Amino acid sequence: MRVMVLQCALINPPFKIPSDPPHPPPSASMISRSLFILLPQIVKSIPLIMAKTAKTTAIRTGEASPPLLFRHVSPGPGGSTLEFRLLHFWEARKNVKGGPGILLGIEMLMIDAEGNLAQGFIGQNRRNQYEKELQRGRIYTLTNFYASNSKVMYHVADQRLVICISHASAMSKDEEDIEGILTERFRVHSFLDFEANCDLRGDLHDIVGHLKLVDGQALHQRPVLCTKDDSASRKVMVHLQLKDGPVINVYLWDEAAVSFRLKFDASEATPTVLLVTTVNPKSLGGKLCLISMSSSRVFLDEDVDPTREYLTWLTTNPSATSLVNPVEVAYFDCIATIDDVKLGTEWYYIACKDCQTKLNRGPTTLLCPKCGNENATAENGGDAAELEVPLPQCFIDTIGQTKKFRIKVAHYNFTSTRLFLTATKIVSPAVLPPKNPPLNTPPTLLAAQNHRPGAEVEISDVAESSGGGTLATDDQKKAKRTKRSG
């Protein structure tokens, strides 16, 4: 048997010899499984790849990269440039029980060249740097932002990511306007949409309709809402008739209430159409109501396109103003003279459990004006102590006075156990109309009127009517007062 012996010398090869044996080629099933696993990640990274590609191309060609659109923004830090119009900005606060709330920063509503809306945020530590430069309706350029997906409630925009101003951000105001970016965009929804999203604390949409009542006052006698002594309430409640739904209660709070009052009183003609943005659908007493938020804005008749379009539709469909769905509560004004204050009726009021102060109604809770408690526990005032509560002297002093009352009428006012009207407010002192009838009054009608109870009061065109009952003479009033004092 022949044996061949080879002598080899060590050399340094020009390549790296693998220590492990090569893997066998992957099968078709393994490749498809890998693509199926990686496909969501590939789709998710497409906007980021497009942005980086555009930026790299711009660097190679020496041209400025086009602004990034809101739909291409991905979570995390972004070095691209955003160009948008600032539609609105407001203070962001964290609600604190019994206090005014903690100021967190400034929130913004922005719109890009495609008409998409996005929400922005400037933290409290950078508020002083940017707040003076913010101006509604102007074009801004933003670079080096941070997109956060931490906001899970109360969305005011289509884009779910919130574009935050970070320490590395640079935001500047453009001197020239860009006509391609819309000046406004609204997200008006129907009654069914609000009903489906009630109490979900999700998207905040816009509502448009025509006014029926403002703080319980009808529009045919134009109400005056502003006061010189700043004693107006934080709230304005309107009954809004929708085009595709029933009458709905809309509660305007704080800035929205102030804006509505100023615009309503400044209008030459009585406003008819109302649009409120970013309202929160809530159930109050089992009924759907809409509550304004810090981001809400108010527009009337000719302010914006949706209100103008609704006003045009209303003029071409005059029957829509008469098609009013039944409302549970009605209001009217009444001029009457107080004849007597009924005794023997227990005196009740909804009081704070801690300080016995009368509570005010909030959107969802009872508020104590003395303790500042926004979730006060209520009880019947005077019900805890088994003592007879005397009739206040101020009520006794009103006997014989003539006032203009705000009357509230609901279903329970006409039940078998409660046949009365509810006076919610003394509007102002008043004077009864003259007792002398017109000269052309027929004698038969005059005789019937003189024998009718409460004939001293004339009914006016604004639904002012007497509360009924004859007027007591001065001697009778003195006798009643003497009886009470005894």
Side-chain angles (χ1 to χ4, degrees), residues 33 43 63 171 205 237-238 273 331 340 359 396 402 457:
R33 190 180 300 110
V43 173
E63 298 178 357
M171 188 172 71
H205 295 127
M237 195 269 283
V238 301
V273 179
Y331 296 84
D340 193 9
L359 298 178
I396 299 176
T402 302
V457 182

Side-chain angles (χ1 to χ4, degrees), residues 401-412:
Q401 297 182 6
T402 302
K403 303 287 185 179
K404 184 176 182 180
F405 298 91
R406 179 69 40 78
I407 303 299
K408 174 184 176 181
V409 181
H411 293 294
Y412 63 80

Side-chain angles (χ1 to χ4, degrees), residues 28-151:
S29 61
M30 295 177 61
I31 295 175
S32 60
R33 190 180 300 110
S34 300
L35 289 177
F36 179 77
I37 296 174
L38 295 176
L39 185 59
Q41 299 180 2
I42 295 174
V43 173
K44 187 176 181 180
S45 61
I46 287 177
L48 184 60
I49 295 173
M50 293 175 61
K52 291 183 177 180
T53 304
K55 184 175 180 180
T56 305
T57 305
I59 294 175
R60 290 177 179 176
T61 58
E63 298 178 357
S65 60
L68 190 67
L69 298 173
F70 289 156
R71 62 184 177 90
H72 291 157
V73 175
S74 57
S80 302
T81 299
L82 295 177
E83 193 173 51
F84 58 88
R85 187 186 301 276
L86 180 62
L87 299 181
H88 186 46
F89 63 93
W90 61 95
E91 290 183 346
R93 291 184 178 273
K94 180 181 179 181
N95 294 330
V96 177
K97 186 176 180 179
I102 301 175
L103 184 60
L104 302 178
I106 299 176
E107 292 186 280
M108 304 180 293
L109 181 62
M110 311 174 295
I111 186 170
D112 65 0
E114 284 189 338
N116 294 324
L117 297 173
Q119 187 172 350
F121 179 74
I122 302 175
Q124 180 65 11
N125 55 343
R126 281 177 280 275
R127 177 184 176 184
N128 295 333
Q129 180 181 354
Y130 294 100
E131 185 177 17
K132 295 181 180 179
E133 299 296 326
L134 298 181
Q135 186 177 353
R136 294 176 178 88
R138 294 297 298 270
I139 302 295
Y140 289 85
T141 301
L142 174 64
T143 57
N144 298 328
F145 55 88
Y146 184 87
S148 171
N149 56 2
S150 60
K151 189 175 181 62

Side-chain angles (χ1 to χ4, degrees), residues 201-243:
R201 298 188 294 181
D203 288 332
L204 303 178
H205 295 127
D206 310 334
I207 188 72
V208 63
H210 57 279
L211 295 167
K212 306 306 296 182
L213 295 175
V214 178
D215 273 344
Q217 306 177 57
L219 299 183
H220 64 269
Q221 184 183 13
R222 178 169 177 166
V224 179
L225 305 179
C226 290
T227 56
K228 296 181 180 180
D229 56 354
D230 296 331
S231 61
S233 171
R234 293 174 51 212
K235 179 193 69 175
V236 173
M237 195 269 283
V238 301
H239 288 70
L240 198 66
Q241 173 72 58
L242 307 184
K243 185 189 297 185

Side-chain angles (χ1 to χ4, degrees), residues 10-27:
L10 295 175
I11 61 173
N12 294 324
F15 54 86
K16 183 177 181 181
I17 301 176
S19 58
D20 298 329
H23 297 283
S27 62

Side-chain angles (χ1 to χ4, degrees), residues 288-309:
L288 175 64
C289 299
L290 301 179
I291 315 296
S292 70
M293 305 291 284
S294 300
S295 57
S296 297
R297 294 176 292 163
V298 173
F299 300 95
L300 300 178
D301 294 345
E302 298 288 344
D303 289 347
V304 290
D305 288 340
T307 56
R308 287 191 288 266
E309 294 172 0

